[in-house]
Amino acid sequence: DAKTTQPNSMESNEEEPVHLPCNHSTISGTDYIHWYRQLPSQGPEYVIHGLTSNVNNRMASLAIAEDRKSSTLILHRATLRDAAVYYCILRDRVQGAQKLVFGQGTRLTINP
Amino acid sequence: DAGITQSPRHKVTETGTPVTLRCHQTENHRYMYWYRQDPGHGLRLIHYSYGVKDTDKGEVSDGYSVSRSKTEDFLLTLESATSSQTSVYFCATTQGPTNTGELFFGEGSRLTVL
């Protein structure tokens, strides 16, 4: 399975944008890039996903490098509720079973 | 909310005893997963199921077995619990093998093996 690399932790201030990087240099052509986050004492929740083009939804934006070897999750205006561990995951479109492999993620701290 | 219920939510047991964790879903999702989460390791896949009676091993399957006799239920069994299996266990489900299918997680089951 292709792996992802994320910084262990990041810190930002409330109401400022946050850019969470993810490297996936061994990504294959059939891998989609997914992001999940885990709030304290909860199960992970889906944030966003993409293949090649940048994606936006109500929670965040996903910027994907042209060579697809890296991506950035963008929180446009962080709130205290965005403090969580963020996981960048590659998901193979071809495989029949959905075996997501979570790394250790990035722990995001938001300062008031 | 995919209607995922894990039970029990908390359990304390002794080494050598059998333990079964249950994951129940109401969305008729085909795929179900069991993960464990430990400090410093993130989430690690134990077993998964791609249909009734169809299961396969994940990366940390030793000491665990699973069963899926109905679409809505996925059971994780520790035949003889050990202290190394103290962890938080998460169940997850997804609709099918599509790239857009998000994974829905339960709230977790905290297991302590003394």
Side-chain angles (χ1 to χ4, degrees):
Chain A
D1 294 323
K3 301 298 184 187
T4 63
T5 304
Q6 300 175 252
N8 289 333
S9 62
M10 291 185 64
E11 195 170 332
S12 185
N13 298 319
E14 197 174 11
E15 299 186 2
E16 292 184 355
V18 180
H19 291 237
L20 297 165
C22 181
N23 288 318
H24 27 80
S25 58
T26 59
I27 191 171
S28 74
T30 55
D31 284 334
Y32 276 68
I33 302 158
H34 284 245
W35 284 81
Y36 284 76
R37 73 178 187 180
Q38 187 173 19
L39 302 172
S41 301
Q42 294 187 25
E45 64 176 347
Y46 168 83
V47 176
I48 200 167
H49 78 278
L51 181 63
T52 57
S53 303
N54 294 345
V55 184
N56 301 294
N57 66 19
R58 64 175 179 80
M59 290 181 70
S61 296
L62 176 61
I64 302 173
E66 195 169 336
D67 64 5
R68 300 209 327 125
K69 293 185 177 182
S70 65
S71 61
T72 302
L73 179 71
I74 303 166
L75 307 179
H76 293 286
R77 196 162 171 266
T79 70
L80 295 178
R81 290 193 69 255
D82 291 321
V85 178
Y86 287 79
Y87 297 97
C88 169
I89 303 153
L90 300 182
R91 184 166 181 177
D92 192 310
R93 179 178 59 176
V94 174
Q95 289 185 354
Q98 299 295 283
K99 295 195 293 181
L100 292 184
V101 178
F102 285 73
Q104 296 199 35
T106 297
R107 181 173 299 277
L108 177 64
T109 300
I110 303 297
N111 299 315
Chain B
D1 184 3
I4 300 171
T5 305
Q6 292 186 226
S7 60
R9 294 290 315 281
H10 301 273
K11 185 172 181 65
V12 180
T13 190
E14 294 186 350
T15 298
T17 60
V19 176
T20 296
L21 304 180
R22 179 185 183 229
C23 178
H24 178 79
Q25 54 122 343
T26 59
E27 297 297 316
N28 202 36
H29 286 173
R30 179 181 173 188
Y31 292 80
M32 299 185 74
Y33 307 79
W34 276 108
Y35 287 88
R36 63 177 287 176
Q37 186 170 39
D38 306 290
H41 288 279
L43 279 150
R44 292 182 291 174
L45 181 65
I46 305 171
H47 282 278
Y48 66 98
S49 170
Y50 47 96
V52 173
K53 297 185 179 178
D54 291 323
T55 64
D56 204 350
K57 296 178 179 180
E59 59 179 316
V60 290
S61 59
D62 287 347
Y64 301 95
S65 62
V66 290
S67 65
R68 189 150 178 221
S69 59
K70 298 184 291 184
T71 298
E72 58 266 35
D73 289 325
F74 192 32
L75 304 181
L76 177 70
T77 298
L78 291 66
E79 299 291 347
S80 178
T82 67
S83 58
S84 65
Q85 293 175 311
T86 292
S87 187
V88 181
Y89 292 86
F90 287 99
C91 172
T93 73
T94 192
Q95 177 62 21
T98 68
N99 52 287
T100 59
E102 72 180 87
L103 211 62
F104 297 92
F105 284 83
E107 295 186 347
S109 295
R110 183 176 294 276
L111 175 66
T112 302
V113 183
L114 303 175

